[in-house]
Amino acid sequence: MTTQMPRRRSALQELPPTSDNLFLDDSLLDSPNSNLSRSFASPVPSPDEIVIRQRGRRSISLTWSPGQEKTTGKKASPLKTPTKNMSQMVLRSSPRKRLLMNDTKSPVCPKMILEDTKKLRIEEKSVAQINTQTSLATYLKGYTQEQLAMIIQKLVRDNASLEKVIRNELPVPDIKPFEMQLVLLKKNIYRSLPSSRLVKKNDSVSYSRAHLHLTALKKAISDQSTLLSQSQHFDALLDYVLMAWPIVRSTPDWENHSHNAVRRHCFKILAFHCKTCLQQAGELLGEERLGTLASHINDMINDYESMSACLSTLEYLTKVPE
C-alpha cells in the first residue's frame, strides 16, 4: 500500500481558493445583523504569503502631495538627466571672441572720448618741457643720438643763421670711449693665455683659448670705424686709425700663420678707412693730423703692406708748394 506524500506548493504558486484565505464581502460586514468584526474579515496571511508580498513589486503612489515629498525626502532618480542651469554655466571661447564680445557690450560714450582726448593733450608735453627748474644739459643726457639729431634738424630747418652757428660749434667726435673699449678687449686676450712660464703663449693651444677675444676685438674695430665713416667725421676717423693701429700691433703674433688672420683683418679695416679719409677729406684734415700720419706711415707699412696705397696720397697732401 503506497502512502501519498503531501503535495507542497512552491512560493510563487497561487493559493487555492479556500475558506481560510477568502476575504468576506463588504456587504456582509456593513449589514446591521452582522456581528463580525473587521479584524476577523482579514485572516492572518501564511508565511508563504508574506514572502510573496515581500518579493512583489513596490506600490507606486499615483498621487503627489508636497508634504509627502518633504517628509519622505525622496531623491531624484539617478537615471534622469539633470536640467542645466544656463545662467550658472561658463562657456569657454577664444580670447579674440571674448575681446569682440567685450567691445560690443561696452558702447563708446562721447563723454569718454572727450576725457581721453583731454588726457592725451595733457600728456603731449614731456616733463623736460614743463619743468624749467632742471638744467637743459641734464635733460640732454637722457636722449639718444637719433633724438638729438632730430631736434637739431627741426631747429635749423628754416633758420640758416642758426645752422651756421651750430656748425661753428660742432667739435671733433670724442674717440676716448672707443679707445677704452679696445684696451679692455686687448687685456682680455692676454688674460686668457696660460700663466705658466713653461707653456708658450703663442702656440695653437694658447690661440684656441684667446680666439673668442680676438674675434671680439675685430668686431669692435669694424663697428667703431664704420660708425665714424658713415657719419663722415673723417678727422675723427683718422685719429681712430692712429689710435687703434698700435693696439692691434700689440696683440700676440702666433706661430701658425693661419692664426694671424684676425690680426691681418684688423689691419685691413684700418688701412681701408685711412685711405678713405685721405681721399674724401684731403687737406681738410689739417697739417698737424697729416704730419702725425706721415711720421707713422713707414711702421704701418711694415705691419701691413697694403698700407703703402696711402703713401702716395699722403705725400701729395703734405708736399710743400714751391
Side-chain angles (χ1 to χ4, degrees):
M1 185 176 180
T2 60
T3 59
Q4 293 182 355
M5 297 294 293
R7 298 179 62 185
R8 295 184 179 181
R9 180 180 61 83
S10 62
L12 299 178
Q13 187 177 358
E14 295 182 357
L15 294 174
T18 58
S19 59
D20 295 336
N21 56 7
L22 286 177
F23 295 98
L24 297 178
D25 192 1
D26 294 339
S27 60
L28 295 177
L29 296 175
D30 297 334
S31 60
N33 297 327
S34 176
N35 295 326
L36 295 176
S37 63
R38 286 188 173 273
S39 61
F40 180 76
S42 298
V44 179
S46 62
D48 296 337
E49 185 66 22
I50 293 174
V51 173
I52 293 172
R53 290 182 180 181
Q54 290 178 353
R55 291 183 180 180
R57 294 184 178 180
R58 296 179 181 178
S59 59
I60 302 173
S61 63
L62 300 178
T63 59
W64 174 83
S65 60
Q68 182 181 0
E69 184 178 0
K70 293 180 181 179
T71 55
T72 56
K74 291 183 179 179
K75 296 182 179 180
S77 175
L79 300 178
K80 184 179 179 181
T81 304
T83 57
K84 297 180 180 179
N85 190 358
M86 299 299 293
S87 62
Q88 298 180 358
M89 294 181 63
V90 179
L91 300 178
R92 299 185 63 184
S93 59
S94 61
R96 182 186 181 92
K97 187 174 182 181
R98 288 198 297 269
L99 290 173
L100 293 175
M101 292 174 65
N102 293 333
D103 293 340
T104 55
K105 289 181 181 179
S106 58
V108 180
C109 181
K111 185 177 180 181
M112 295 171 61
I113 296 175
L114 293 175
E115 292 178 357
D116 294 340
T117 53
K118 289 180 180 179
K119 291 180 180 179
L120 291 175
R121 288 177 183 176
I122 294 173
E123 294 175 357
E124 279 180 358
K125 291 187 177 181
S126 62
V127 179
Q129 296 176 356
I130 301 172
N131 187 10
T132 58
Q133 296 179 358
T134 306
S135 62
L136 181 61
T138 303
Y139 284 125
L140 292 177
K141 293 179 182 179
Y143 294 106
T144 61
Q145 186 175 359
E146 289 77 10
Q147 287 178 314
L148 293 175
M150 290 178 62
I151 293 172
I152 297 174
Q153 289 176 5
K154 186 177 180 180
L155 293 175
V156 302
R157 185 175 301 167
D158 299 326
N159 195 341
S161 60
L162 181 60
E163 180 180 358
K164 185 177 180 181
V165 172
I166 294 176
R167 282 183 178 272
N168 294 331
E169 298 295 330
L170 290 177
V172 178
D174 187 12
I175 62 172
K176 194 68 177 180
F178 294 164
E179 183 180 3
M180 294 175 61
Q181 184 180 1
L182 296 181
V183 171
L184 179 61
L185 293 174
K186 187 187 74 171
K187 288 182 179 180
N188 293 336
I189 294 172
Y190 282 99
R191 286 174 183 173
S192 64
L193 299 178
S195 59
S196 177
R197 297 180 179 179
L198 303 177
V199 180
K200 290 184 178 181
K201 295 185 179 181
N202 59 348
D203 56 357
S204 299
V205 178
S206 300
Y207 172 78
S208 62
R209 300 179 62 176
H211 176 66
L212 294 177
H213 302 288
L214 289 170
T215 305
L217 178 65
K218 179 182 72 173
K219 185 178 184 303
I221 291 176
S222 177
D223 295 342
Q224 294 172 359
S225 58
T226 302
L227 177 62
L228 295 174
S229 177
Q230 290 178 352
S231 59
Q232 296 188 5
H233 289 289
F234 297 113
D235 48 359
L237 181 58
L238 186 58
D239 294 340
Y240 179 84
V241 172
L242 295 173
M243 177 270 298
W245 198 281
I247 295 177
V248 177
R249 182 190 297 156
S250 61
T251 56
D253 189 6
W254 308 102
E255 292 180 347
N256 192 344
H257 182 72
S258 62
H259 293 166
N260 292 318
V262 176
R263 178 189 177 97
R264 291 192 300 270
H265 187 77
C266 293
F267 283 143
K268 181 179 179 180
I269 294 173
L270 297 176
F272 170 76
H273 288 297
C274 181
K275 184 178 180 181
T276 303
C277 293
L278 296 175
Q279 291 178 353
Q280 297 294 330
E283 296 178 352
L284 298 177
L285 296 173
E287 295 181 1
E288 183 179 358
R289 191 172 286 106
L290 292 175
T292 305
L293 176 62
S295 62
H296 294 87
I297 190 68
N298 294 325
D299 295 334
M300 297 169 76
I301 293 174
N302 294 331
D303 296 331
Y304 188 69
E305 295 180 358
S306 298
M307 190 66 183
S308 58
C310 302
L311 183 59
S312 59
T313 307
L314 181 62
E315 290 178 350
Y316 174 77
L317 294 174
T318 55
K319 183 179 180 181
V320 179
E322 297 180 357

mmCIF file of all heavy atoms in Angstrom, residues 145-177:
data_model
loop_
_atom_site.group_PDB
_atom_site.id
_atom_site.type_symbol
_atom_site.label_atom_id
_atom_site.label_comp_id
_atom_site.label_asym_id
_atom_site.label_seq_id
_atom_site.Cartn_x
_atom_site.Cartn_y
_atom_site.Cartn_z
ATOM 1 N N GLN A 145 71.211 109.434 -29.612
ATOM 2 C CA GLN A 145 71.845 110.207 -30.679
ATOM 3 C C GLN A 145 70.842 110.567 -31.773
ATOM 4 O O GLN A 145 70.879 111.666 -32.339
ATOM 5 C CB GLN A 145 73.004 109.409 -31.263
ATOM 6 C CG GLN A 145 73.838 110.165 -32.283
ATOM 7 C CD GLN A 145 75.040 109.367 -32.751
ATOM 8 O OE1 GLN A 145 75.254 108.258 -32.302
ATOM 9 N NE2 GLN A 145 75.824 109.942 -33.641
ATOM 10 N N GLU A 146 69.926 109.657 -32.071
ATOM 11 C CA GLU A 146 68.928 109.931 -33.104
ATOM 12 C C GLU A 146 67.965 111.036 -32.671
ATOM 13 O O GLU A 146 67.569 111.882 -33.483
ATOM 14 C CB GLU A 146 68.148 108.647 -33.427
ATOM 15 C CG GLU A 146 68.930 107.581 -34.176
ATOM 16 C CD GLU A 146 69.895 106.823 -33.270
ATOM 17 O OE1 GLU A 146 69.788 107.010 -32.034
ATOM 18 O OE2 GLU A 146 70.737 106.064 -33.784
ATOM 19 N N GLN A 147 67.576 111.029 -31.385
ATOM 20 C CA GLN A 147 66.673 112.072 -30.910
ATOM 21 C C GLN A 147 67.324 113.450 -30.943
ATOM 22 O O GLN A 147 66.689 114.441 -31.332
ATOM 23 C CB GLN A 147 66.216 111.736 -29.486
ATOM 24 C CG GLN A 147 65.228 110.586 -29.412
ATOM 25 C CD GLN A 147 64.839 110.268 -27.991
ATOM 26 O OE1 GLN A 147 65.694 110.172 -27.108
ATOM 27 N NE2 GLN A 147 63.549 110.085 -27.754
ATOM 28 N N LEU A 148 68.582 113.522 -30.542
ATOM 29 C CA LEU A 148 69.288 114.808 -30.585
ATOM 30 C C LEU A 148 69.436 115.302 -32.014
ATOM 31 O O LEU A 148 69.309 116.510 -32.288
ATOM 32 C CB LEU A 148 70.654 114.663 -29.922
ATOM 33 C CG LEU A 148 70.655 114.395 -28.407
ATOM 34 C CD1 LEU A 148 72.067 114.154 -27.914
ATOM 35 C CD2 LEU A 148 70.013 115.544 -27.663
ATOM 36 N N ALA A 149 69.708 114.381 -32.938
ATOM 37 C CA ALA A 149 69.825 114.779 -34.345
ATOM 38 C C ALA A 149 68.505 115.314 -34.883
ATOM 39 O O ALA A 149 68.479 116.315 -35.629
ATOM 40 C CB ALA A 149 70.303 113.595 -35.176
ATOM 41 N N MET A 150 67.392 114.696 -34.501
ATOM 42 C CA MET A 150 66.081 115.175 -34.953
ATOM 43 C C MET A 150 65.772 116.553 -34.374
ATOM 44 O O MET A 150 65.182 117.405 -35.057
ATOM 45 C CB MET A 150 65.004 114.164 -34.551
ATOM 46 C CG MET A 150 65.072 112.845 -35.318
ATOM 47 S SD MET A 150 63.815 111.672 -34.763
ATOM 48 C CE MET A 150 62.322 112.578 -35.169
ATOM 49 N N ILE A 151 66.150 116.786 -33.129
ATOM 50 C CA ILE A 151 65.894 118.089 -32.517
ATOM 51 C C ILE A 151 66.657 119.189 -33.249
ATOM 52 O O ILE A 151 66.104 120.256 -33.575
ATOM 53 C CB ILE A 151 66.282 118.053 -31.027
ATOM 54 C CG1 ILE A 151 65.342 117.111 -30.262
ATOM 55 C CG2 ILE A 151 66.227 119.447 -30.419
ATOM 56 C CD1 ILE A 151 65.759 116.852 -28.837
ATOM 57 N N ILE A 152 67.929 118.933 -33.531
ATOM 58 C CA ILE A 152 68.750 119.949 -34.215
ATOM 59 C C ILE A 152 68.245 120.181 -35.629
ATOM 60 O O ILE A 152 68.177 121.330 -36.113
ATOM 61 C CB ILE A 152 70.223 119.521 -34.204
ATOM 62 C CG1 ILE A 152 70.747 119.449 -32.758
ATOM 63 C CG2 ILE A 152 71.075 120.478 -35.027
ATOM 64 C CD1 ILE A 152 72.147 118.900 -32.641
ATOM 65 N N GLN A 153 67.878 119.130 -36.335
ATOM 66 C CA GLN A 153 67.372 119.290 -37.697
ATOM 67 C C GLN A 153 66.073 120.094 -37.727
ATOM 68 O O GLN A 153 65.838 120.887 -38.641
ATOM 69 C CB GLN A 153 67.153 117.918 -38.328
ATOM 70 C CG GLN A 153 68.442 117.174 -38.662
ATOM 71 C CD GLN A 153 68.186 115.776 -39.187
ATOM 72 O OE1 GLN A 153 67.026 115.386 -39.389
ATOM 73 N NE2 GLN A 153 69.238 115.023 -39.412
ATOM 74 N N LYS A 154 65.245 119.887 -36.719
ATOM 75 C CA LYS A 154 63.988 120.636 -36.663
ATOM 76 C C LYS A 154 64.237 122.112 -36.390
ATOM 77 O O LYS A 154 63.531 122.988 -36.902
ATOM 78 C CB LYS A 154 63.102 120.036 -35.566
ATOM 79 C CG LYS A 154 61.713 120.637 -35.505
ATOM 80 C CD LYS A 154 60.871 119.942 -34.455
ATOM 81 C CE LYS A 154 59.470 120.544 -34.387
ATOM 82 N NZ LYS A 154 58.644 119.866 -33.349
ATOM 83 N N LEU A 155 65.262 122.425 -35.624
ATOM 84 C CA LEU A 155 65.557 123.826 -35.306
ATOM 85 C C LEU A 155 66.157 124.573 -36.483
ATOM 86 O O LEU A 155 65.873 125.758 -36.695
ATOM 87 C CB LEU A 155 66.501 123.898 -34.099
ATOM 88 C CG LEU A 155 65.926 123.420 -32.748
ATOM 89 C CD1 LEU A 155 67.008 123.436 -31.681
ATOM 90 C CD2 LEU A 155 64.751 124.305 -32.323
ATOM 91 N N VAL A 156 67.006 123.892 -37.258
ATOM 92 C CA VAL A 156 67.723 124.575 -38.348
ATOM 93 C C VAL A 156 67.029 124.399 -39.682
ATOM 94 O O VAL A 156 67.587 124.785 -40.724
ATOM 95 C CB VAL A 156 69.175 124.053 -38.442
ATOM 96 C CG1 VAL A 156 69.897 124.260 -37.128
ATOM 97 C CG2 VAL A 156 69.208 122.579 -38.843
ATOM 98 N N ARG A 157 65.843 123.815 -39.690
ATOM 99 C CA ARG A 157 65.183 123.543 -40.973
ATOM 100 C C ARG A 157 64.899 124.830 -41.733
ATOM 101 O O ARG A 157 65.133 124.925 -42.945
ATOM 102 C CB ARG A 157 63.886 122.773 -40.712
ATOM 103 C CG ARG A 157 63.161 122.331 -41.971
ATOM 104 C CD ARG A 157 61.965 121.488 -41.588
ATOM 105 N NE ARG A 157 62.386 120.318 -40.826
ATOM 106 C CZ ARG A 157 61.535 119.531 -40.150
ATOM 107 N NH1 ARG A 157 60.245 119.833 -40.115
ATOM 108 N NH2 ARG A 157 61.999 118.479 -39.500
ATOM 109 N N ASP A 158 64.394 125.816 -41.089
ATOM 110 C CA ASP A 158 64.042 127.086 -41.751
ATOM 111 C C ASP A 158 64.839 128.257 -41.178
ATOM 112 O O ASP A 158 64.400 129.405 -41.275
ATOM 113 C CB ASP A 158 62.541 127.357 -41.585
ATOM 114 C CG ASP A 158 61.696 126.261 -42.214
ATOM 115 O OD1 ASP A 158 62.128 125.702 -43.241
ATOM 116 O OD2 ASP A 158 60.619 125.945 -41.668
ATOM 117 N N ASN A 159 65.982 127.946 -40.606
ATOM 118 C CA ASN A 159 66.783 129.005 -39.989
ATOM 119 C C ASN A 159 68.241 128.793 -40.384
ATOM 120 O O ASN A 159 68.971 128.027 -39.747
ATOM 121 C CB ASN A 159 66.614 128.974 -38.471
ATOM 122 C CG ASN A 159 67.109 130.246 -37.804
ATOM 123 O OD1 ASN A 159 67.884 131.000 -38.395
ATOM 124 N ND2 ASN A 159 66.662 130.474 -36.577
ATOM 125 N N ALA A 160 68.659 129.459 -41.442
ATOM 126 C CA ALA A 160 70.020 129.272 -41.953
ATOM 127 C C ALA A 160 71.058 129.858 -41.011
ATOM 128 O O ALA A 160 72.164 129.316 -40.864
ATOM 129 C CB ALA A 160 70.146 129.913 -43.335
ATOM 130 N N SER A 161 70.736 130.949 -40.369
ATOM 131 C CA SER A 161 71.698 131.562 -39.449
ATOM 132 C C SER A 161 71.955 130.667 -38.240
ATOM 133 O O SER A 161 73.098 130.547 -37.777
ATOM 134 C CB SER A 161 71.181 132.931 -38.995
ATOM 135 O OG SER A 161 69.923 132.799 -38.328
ATOM 136 N N LEU A 162 70.908 130.037 -37.751
ATOM 137 C CA LEU A 162 71.082 129.127 -36.621
ATOM 138 C C LEU A 162 71.900 127.909 -37.027
ATOM 139 O O LEU A 162 72.731 127.411 -36.254
ATOM 140 C CB LEU A 162 69.723 128.698 -36.081
ATOM 141 C CG LEU A 162 69.730 127.755 -34.880
ATOM 142 C CD1 LEU A 162 70.442 128.396 -33.703
ATOM 143 C CD2 LEU A 162 68.307 127.363 -34.499
ATOM 144 N N GLU A 163 71.705 127.433 -38.237
ATOM 145 C CA GLU A 163 72.503 126.308 -38.718
ATOM 146 C C GLU A 163 73.977 126.677 -38.787
ATOM 147 O O GLU A 163 74.852 125.868 -38.446
ATOM 148 C CB GLU A 163 71.997 125.874 -40.098
ATOM 149 C CG GLU A 163 72.761 124.698 -40.682
ATOM 150 C CD GLU A 163 72.248 124.290 -42.051
ATOM 151 O OE1 GLU A 163 71.268 124.904 -42.524
ATOM 152 O OE2 GLU A 163 72.842 123.364 -42.648
ATOM 153 N N LYS A 164 74.273 127.893 -39.207
ATOM 154 C CA LYS A 164 75.665 128.318 -39.264
ATOM 155 C C LYS A 164 76.289 128.406 -37.870
ATOM 156 O O LYS A 164 77.447 128.024 -37.664
ATOM 157 C CB LYS A 164 75.745 129.674 -39.964
ATOM 158 C CG LYS A 164 77.151 130.175 -40.184
ATOM 159 C CD LYS A 164 77.141 131.492 -40.940
ATOM 160 C CE LYS A 164 78.566 132.001 -41.164
ATOM 161 N NZ LYS A 164 78.574 133.302 -41.896
ATOM 162 N N VAL A 165 75.515 128.867 -36.925
ATOM 163 C CA VAL A 165 76.009 128.959 -35.549
ATOM 164 C C VAL A 165 76.302 127.571 -34.992
ATOM 165 O O VAL A 165 77.328 127.339 -34.342
ATOM 166 C CB VAL A 165 74.988 129.710 -34.667
ATOM 167 C CG1 VAL A 165 75.393 129.632 -33.196
ATOM 168 C CG2 VAL A 165 74.848 131.155 -35.114
ATOM 169 N N ILE A 166 75.404 126.634 -35.264
ATOM 170 C CA ILE A 166 75.598 125.267 -34.754
ATOM 171 C C ILE A 166 76.794 124.612 -35.422
ATOM 172 O O ILE A 166 77.581 123.900 -34.781
ATOM 173 C CB ILE A 166 74.315 124.436 -34.954
ATOM 174 C CG1 ILE A 166 73.190 125.000 -34.075
ATOM 175 C CG2 ILE A 166 74.558 122.968 -34.612
ATOM 176 C CD1 ILE A 166 71.861 124.305 -34.260
ATOM 177 N N ARG A 167 76.980 124.841 -36.708
ATOM 178 C CA ARG A 167 78.130 124.266 -37.412
ATOM 179 C C ARG A 167 79.454 124.763 -36.834
ATOM 180 O O ARG A 167 80.431 124.013 -36.734
ATOM 181 C CB ARG A 167 78.058 124.579 -38.908
ATOM 182 C CG ARG A 167 77.089 123.705 -39.682
ATOM 183 C CD ARG A 167 77.145 124.028 -41.163
ATOM 184 N NE ARG A 167 76.248 123.171 -41.924
ATOM 185 C CZ ARG A 167 76.599 121.969 -42.416
ATOM 186 N NH1 ARG A 167 77.830 121.504 -42.207
ATOM 187 N NH2 ARG A 167 75.745 121.252 -43.097
ATOM 188 N N ASN A 168 79.480 126.017 -36.469
ATOM 189 C CA ASN A 168 80.700 126.572 -35.894
ATOM 190 C C ASN A 168 81.010 125.989 -34.510
ATOM 191 O O ASN A 168 82.160 126.058 -34.062
ATOM 192 C CB ASN A 168 80.594 128.098 -35.804
ATOM 193 C CG ASN A 168 80.537 128.758 -37.174
ATOM 194 O OD1 ASN A 168 81.090 128.228 -38.149
ATOM 195 N ND2 ASN A 168 79.888 129.909 -37.253
ATOM 196 N N GLU A 169 80.004 125.442 -33.859
ATOM 197 C CA GLU A 169 80.188 124.877 -32.522
ATOM 198 C C GLU A 169 80.380 123.361 -32.535
ATOM 199 O O GLU A 169 80.559 122.763 -31.463
ATOM 200 C CB GLU A 169 78.985 125.228 -31.638
ATOM 201 C CG GLU A 169 78.790 126.712 -31.408
ATOM 202 C CD GLU A 169 79.957 127.334 -30.622
ATOM 203 O OE1 GLU A 169 80.575 126.607 -29.806
ATOM 204 O OE2 GLU A 169 80.235 128.530 -30.825
ATOM 205 N N LEU A 170 80.332 122.732 -33.712
ATOM 206 C CA LEU A 170 80.480 121.267 -33.766
ATOM 207 C C LEU A 170 81.934 120.877 -33.518
ATOM 208 O O LEU A 170 82.830 121.262 -34.275
ATOM 209 C CB LEU A 170 80.024 120.737 -35.138
ATOM 210 C CG LEU A 170 78.526 120.812 -35.426
ATOM 211 C CD1 LEU A 170 78.244 120.312 -36.837
ATOM 212 C CD2 LEU A 170 77.722 120.007 -34.400
ATOM 213 N N PRO A 171 82.209 120.064 -32.485
ATOM 214 C CA PRO A 171 83.588 119.654 -32.217
ATOM 215 C C PRO A 171 83.925 118.347 -32.922
ATOM 216 O O PRO A 171 83.068 117.717 -33.571
ATOM 217 C CB PRO A 171 83.594 119.468 -30.695
ATOM 218 C CG PRO A 171 82.201 118.983 -30.402
ATOM 219 C CD PRO A 171 81.289 119.626 -31.419
ATOM 220 N N VAL A 172 85.164 117.931 -32.796
ATOM 221 C CA VAL A 172 85.588 116.626 -33.304
ATOM 222 C C VAL A 172 85.037 115.548 -32.364
ATOM 223 O O VAL A 172 85.127 115.692 -31.138
ATOM 224 C CB VAL A 172 87.124 116.539 -33.384
ATOM 225 C CG1 VAL A 172 87.562 115.161 -33.878
ATOM 226 C CG2 VAL A 172 87.660 117.629 -34.285
ATOM 227 N N PRO A 173 84.422 114.491 -32.882
ATOM 228 C CA PRO A 173 83.879 113.448 -32.011
ATOM 229 C C PRO A 173 84.934 112.857 -31.085
ATOM 230 O O PRO A 173 86.104 112.680 -31.472
ATOM 231 C CB PRO A 173 83.354 112.402 -32.995
ATOM 232 C CG PRO A 173 83.070 113.166 -34.235
ATOM 233 C CD PRO A 173 84.118 114.244 -34.298
ATOM 234 N N ASP A 174 84.526 112.578 -29.878
ATOM 235 C CA ASP A 174 85.434 112.037 -28.869
ATOM 236 C C ASP A 174 85.575 110.528 -29.090
ATOM 237 O O ASP A 174 84.581 109.782 -29.067
ATOM 238 C CB ASP A 174 84.870 112.313 -27.475
ATOM 239 C CG ASP A 174 85.853 111.919 -26.384
ATOM 240 O OD1 ASP A 174 87.028 111.654 -26.716
ATOM 241 O OD2 ASP A 174 85.426 111.852 -25.214
ATOM 242 N N ILE A 175 86.813 110.089 -29.314
ATOM 243 C CA ILE A 175 87.065 108.658 -29.520
ATOM 244 C C ILE A 175 87.648 108.003 -28.273
ATOM 245 O O ILE A 175 88.082 106.846 -28.331
ATOM 246 C CB ILE A 175 88.019 108.445 -30.717
ATOM 247 C CG1 ILE A 175 89.378 109.109 -30.448
ATOM 248 C CG2 ILE A 175 87.392 108.956 -31.999
ATOM 249 C CD1 ILE A 175 90.433 108.775 -31.498
ATOM 250 N N LYS A 176 87.620 108.710 -27.157
ATOM 251 C CA LYS A 176 88.162 108.143 -25.922
ATOM 252 C C LYS A 176 87.386 106.909 -25.470
ATOM 253 O O LYS A 176 87.990 105.901 -25.057
ATOM 254 C CB LYS A 176 88.140 109.211 -24.825
ATOM 255 C CG LYS A 176 88.976 108.872 -23.605
ATOM 256 C CD LYS A 176 90.453 108.874 -23.953
ATOM 257 C CE LYS A 176 91.289 108.612 -22.710
ATOM 258 N NZ LYS A 176 92.743 108.598 -22.988
ATOM 259 N N PRO A 177 86.043 106.887 -25.531
ATOM 260 C CA PRO A 177 85.332 105.654 -25.158
ATOM 261 C C PRO A 177 85.697 104.466 -26.042
ATOM 262 O O PRO A 177 85.769 103.335 -25.573
ATOM 263 C CB PRO A 177 83.860 106.038 -25.312
ATOM 264 C CG PRO A 177 83.826 107.506 -25.160
ATOM 265 C CD PRO A 177 85.103 107.995 -25.775
#
